[in-house]
Amino acid sequence: MKQRYTKDVLLFAAGKGLVGLVFFGYLAASAHLLAKEDFSLFQSLMGLHGIVMMIGLPLNISAMHLVAAAADTHRRATLGAVLRLAFICALIVAGTLLVLTPFLTARLHAQTVRPVLCLAALAPVNILLVVFHGGLQGRNRYGAFSSARIVEAAIVCSAGVALMLAGMRVAGALGGYLVGMTVLCFYFGARRDLYDTGGSAGAVRHEMRVLIRPLLVSGVLLVISNLPMLIARARLPPGAASDYATLFVLRYGVLVFAEAVAWPLYTRIVAGEEEPGMLRTGLRLVALLGIAFIALGLLQPAVLFRLVFGEAFATAAAHMTGYGVFMLLYMLAMVMLYCRAARGNLSSWAIVLPVIVIAGLLVIPDISPDRIIAAQSLASAVCLGAATFGGRRA
């Protein structure tokens, strides 16, 4: 029993690490294949996708939590019930994005509606896909989960590069994600050993009150991480917005490992399989990741930016150390928040105050990449402090 959490983390981290490497290569290729302005738009739409996934990722957490808590004989029916809810949410999201397409096209300074239409197709597919992922995570089948993510990443990269080379630009970059996620959705949809849509939803209804905590955690984390990218695109000059978009890409290099620490911790606690020292181990791992990110920023990162993204993106290196501080605080807060949520002891301040801090970026004058990063660091520190010292139920 003592080694099961470590094994989960290693399997998850190995798969997520390889997936992160493939996606990082894909984003680096996108930076070379797209103009700097197009790359900024691409990352802004990915930031918007992250905000939309405030619906999808909580469903992922719901599937993960409910399947982990359910008896073996009820897990298929439980996942099926979450999938039914996810399908309804996917339809609502698709319709909303279609209605908002003209507004988003204008606000994000896109030249055509095609990138926003691609996002409108991508978001509902991803909502369904992350529920299937949650089902695998809830069963602690991290090997199968990692394998599926690797296949998805390979398809995304191949399809996206082909579409961009065909001249589809930002729509092609998003289209790669759409192709890869759609293929995996159809694959999981054919796996009837994972779910049963005709089963009873009684277990889901019984647990819905408990799900409020992980839903709030995933929501506030998405706001801190993704909303600033949209604000940067809307409020910063094009060059500064592109610099922030480049930093936004770099977060994938560490966040995949932070998730590999936080999610198995959550499912083990919910399933009643908590091991001694799990939390300390998780915090140490993410602290090492954050420190490594900061150290890289203190060296000569401009060379890295030139090699990976191209000469036009080298100016983003000036902000990398500050972004590393944000990532360190953010990952520590992620682990503590999910631990608190799993144990049912989450402070309300961990949810309210960080959102207020990030919302302030919408109104403060003279915004800059450094001010955006400082706000993200402050919001993450508030989360960390509230999760560490706060014990009141949310």
Side-chain angles (χ1 to χ4, degrees), residues 8-28:
D8 288 345
V9 171
L10 290 176
L11 282 173
F12 200 169
K16 293 282 276 186
L18 183 55
V19 169
L21 184 62
V22 173
F23 277 134
F24 187 78
Y26 177 58
L27 294 171

Side-chain angles (χ1 to χ4, degrees), residues 332 336 340 382-391:
L332 290 171
M336 284 301 304
R340 283 287 193 184
V382 170
C383 279
L384 179 59
T388 302
F389 302 108

Side-chain angles (χ1 to χ4, degrees), residues 213 216-217 220 336-337 339-341 344-354 382-394:
R213 289 184 291 270
L216 291 174
V217 167
V220 73
M336 284 301 304
L337 285 172
C339 180
R340 283 287 193 184
N345 191 21
L346 179 64
S347 169
S348 299
W349 294 112
I351 304 302
V352 177
L353 289 181
V382 170
C383 279
L384 179 59
T388 302
F389 302 108
R392 188 164 58 87
R393 288 183 182 273

Side-chain angles (χ1 to χ4, degrees), residues 32-121:
H32 288 279
L33 291 171
L34 299 172
K36 191 173 183 180
E37 180 71 9
D38 283 343
F39 185 74
S40 175
L41 174 60
F42 173 34
Q43 288 309 299
S44 298
L45 288 168
M46 291 305 294
L48 178 58
H49 177 261
I51 296 297
V52 171
M53 292 307 289
M54 287 181 67
I55 295 174
L57 288 186
L59 286 167
N60 168 260
I61 299 296
S62 300
M64 185 169 63
H65 174 101
L66 292 170
V67 171
D72 288 342
T73 54
H74 295 108
R75 283 180 167 176
R76 290 177 64 246
T78 299
L79 183 59
V82 181
L83 280 170
R84 291 199 298 271
L85 176 60
F87 184 75
I88 295 171
C89 292
L91 291 178
I92 294 172
V93 166
T96 302
L97 288 173
L98 286 173
V99 170
L100 293 176
T101 292
F103 169 78
L104 293 172
T105 300
R107 196 72 182 94
L108 297 176
H109 315 298
Q111 296 179 351
T112 72
V113 299
R114 287 192 304 174
V116 182
L117 291 177
C118 283
L119 180 66

